[in-house]
Amino acid sequence: MATTNFPDGVTNANINSANGQMVFEDPTKFHTYFNDFDQYVAADWAVTETQAGATQALTAGDGGWLLLTNSATDDDLNQVQKTPASFAIAAAKKAYFACRFKASDVTQNDLMVGLVIVDTDPFATPPTDGIYFQSLDGVATVDVFCRKNATTGSTTKAAIATLVNDTFIVLSWYYDGAGTLAFGVNGNTVGYLNNVGAFLPDAGNLAPLLAIQAGEAGAETMTIDYVFTAVER
């Protein structure tokens, strides 16, 4: 396939704006966070461990990988959440999330990835606000949640994907700024949550969350290739 070249540049900035003559896309239109885990700076993350033996560290792998390893204890929680929380979802603004990860044993772990309110124990009590994917201990399927306030509730879709041991999967969602949340698996849209306006998280401070909780005694692992979040300003 031939490359399409634009020697004079391409921009999404309004022609009459101060950035209208930029030769690249206007980076100010979205608040964006992307981590490919070629580096892991522990101070950038709030870490929660229920057992002292849990670890969070880079590991060898194509593309840069972060490895979360539990201690050999049932119900050991090991999670990292980007700090400080710096994202907010607005009903009329677009938002995106994607994460590529795998787990050593998909039926003997609780797993969660998404954009949620600060939460140090998300499996004991669901995050009060957030848009996230979850797989519970005892099953290999993934559910998606769009949740606003514990008292308001959430809109959900169950079993949107099936995890496989030690096999990467990409889970993603996109909010269109008009009431529809699309969710995807490995780059393909597989479904929608419609009319989600009443369930959009209204907490002003959300952050990417990556979490694993062991479902049995053993050093269970979760490997994250990348995490991406973008919210329209």
Side-chain angles (χ1 to χ4, degrees):
M1 182 179 294
T3 300
T4 300
N5 297 304
F6 297 94
D8 295 326
V10 175
T11 185
N12 58 348
N14 188 297
I15 192 171
N16 296 317
S17 72
N19 296 332
Q21 298 305 311
M22 286 176 28
V23 297
F24 54 90
E25 291 186 356
D26 185 353
T28 66
K29 287 186 173 295
F30 281 82
H31 173 206
T32 302
Y33 175 77
F34 177 67
N35 197 328
D36 208 10
F37 293 111
D38 288 307
Q39 293 183 326
Y40 171 68
V41 180
D44 291 344
W45 299 82
V47 178
T48 302
E49 305 170 355
T50 53
Q51 300 291 331
T55 60
Q56 312 81 31
L58 297 180
T59 190
D62 182 33
W65 295 353
L66 176 67
L67 180 65
L68 306 183
T69 304
N70 285 341
S71 66
T73 303
D74 189 14
D75 289 330
D76 177 17
L77 172 65
N78 188 357
Q79 74 168 49
V80 293
Q81 187 166 21
K82 183 69 177 68
T83 187
S86 58
F87 288 92
I89 303 294
K93 300 289 187 178
K94 297 180 177 66
Y96 304 81
F97 175 86
C99 183
R100 184 174 188 258
F101 70 96
K102 65 179 180 178
S104 56
D105 189 331
V106 298
T107 59
Q108 290 297 333
N109 283 300
D110 296 290
L111 301 165
M112 184 180 293
V113 298
L115 187 66
V116 305
I117 195 169
V118 175
D119 193 329
T120 58
D121 199 353
F123 299 114
T125 303
T128 59
D129 286 80
I131 306 174
Y132 58 95
F133 300 96
Q134 178 177 283
S135 180
L136 293 176
D137 180 25
V139 299
T141 53
V142 177
D143 307 327
V144 61
F145 295 80
C146 181
R147 186 172 176 84
K148 171 186 175 180
N149 299 337
T151 56
T152 302
S154 63
T155 181
T156 68
K157 184 77 73 171
I160 66 164
T162 301
L163 303 175
V164 178
N165 288 351
D166 202 33
T167 301
F168 278 109
I169 189 170
V170 179
L171 297 179
S172 58
W173 57 256
Y174 158 60
Y175 175 65
D176 69 353
T180 298
L181 183 81
F183 47 88
V185 178
N186 293 329
N188 299 308
T189 299
V190 298
Y192 300 88
L193 294 176
N194 297 309
N195 302 315
V196 300
F199 302 103
L200 287 175
D202 64 352
N205 299 299
L206 307 175
L209 173 76
L210 313 167
I212 178 173
Q213 180 172 277
E216 64 179 0
E220 306 291 349
T221 64
M222 180 181 188
T223 306
I224 303 98
D225 182 14
Y226 62 76
V227 62
F228 166 73
T229 301
V231 175
E232 187 178 14
R233 295 183 189 275

